[in-house]
């Protein structure tokens, strides 16, 4: 049973589609792929110099998890120890 291109690419996005989804430029998405921050598959034929990237949903989820902000608990303030007003220190 052969699979069609649509079935094979189901869920995978092109850099252009991802750029529209994230509301950034396509150059930003390509830079993320080039630096390794965003994993993508090159689906171009061998011998073709220009890559055709596809981003899987798993790679996108991994990227979003790595880039999401994590709420840190508020830092507790350390108070200075109070000096006893009746204590006199002689040096």
């Amino acid at each position: 049973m052969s699979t069609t291109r649509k079935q094979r690419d189901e869920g995978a996005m092109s850099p252009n589609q991802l750029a529209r989804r994230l509301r950034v430029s396509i150059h930003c998405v390509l830079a993320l792929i080039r630096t390794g921050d965003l994993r993508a598959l090159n689906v171009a034929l061998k011998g073709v110099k220009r890559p055709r990237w596809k981003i899987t949903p798993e790679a996108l989820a991994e990227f979003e998890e790595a880039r999401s902000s994590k709420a840190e608990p508020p830092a507790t303030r350390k108070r200075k120890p109070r000096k006893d007003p009746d204590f006199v220190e002689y040096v």
Side-chain angles (χ1 to χ4, degrees), residues 1-90:
M1 185 168 135
S2 66
T3 59
T4 64
R5 176 186 253 177
K6 188 173 183 178
Q7 290 171 333
R8 196 176 46 220
D9 292 342
E10 190 173 318
M13 285 185 270
S14 69
N16 197 18
Q17 291 170 325
L18 184 60
R20 275 190 255 128
R21 177 177 170 179
L22 297 177
R23 294 189 175 113
V24 296
S25 72
I26 188 164
H27 301 290
C28 180
V29 174
L30 293 173
L32 290 169
I33 292 170
R34 192 171 35 256
T35 60
D37 291 336
L38 179 62
R39 288 186 311 120
L41 301 171
N42 183 3
V43 295
L45 297 174
K46 283 193 174 198
V48 176
K49 293 182 181 181
R50 185 175 175 194
R52 286 186 55 206
W53 298 110
K54 288 290 184 180
I55 299 102
T56 62
E58 295 82 20
L60 180 58
E62 192 177 292
F63 171 76
E64 288 174 340
E65 178 65 29
R67 288 291 183 108
S68 65
S69 63
K70 312 230 180 354
E72 295 181 18
T76 56
R77 292 180 59 188
K78 293 184 180 180
R79 293 185 176 184
K80 290 183 181 178
R82 284 189 172 173
K83 293 186 178 181
D84 186 13
D86 296 332
F87 181 75
V88 179
E89 185 177 341
Y90 295 101

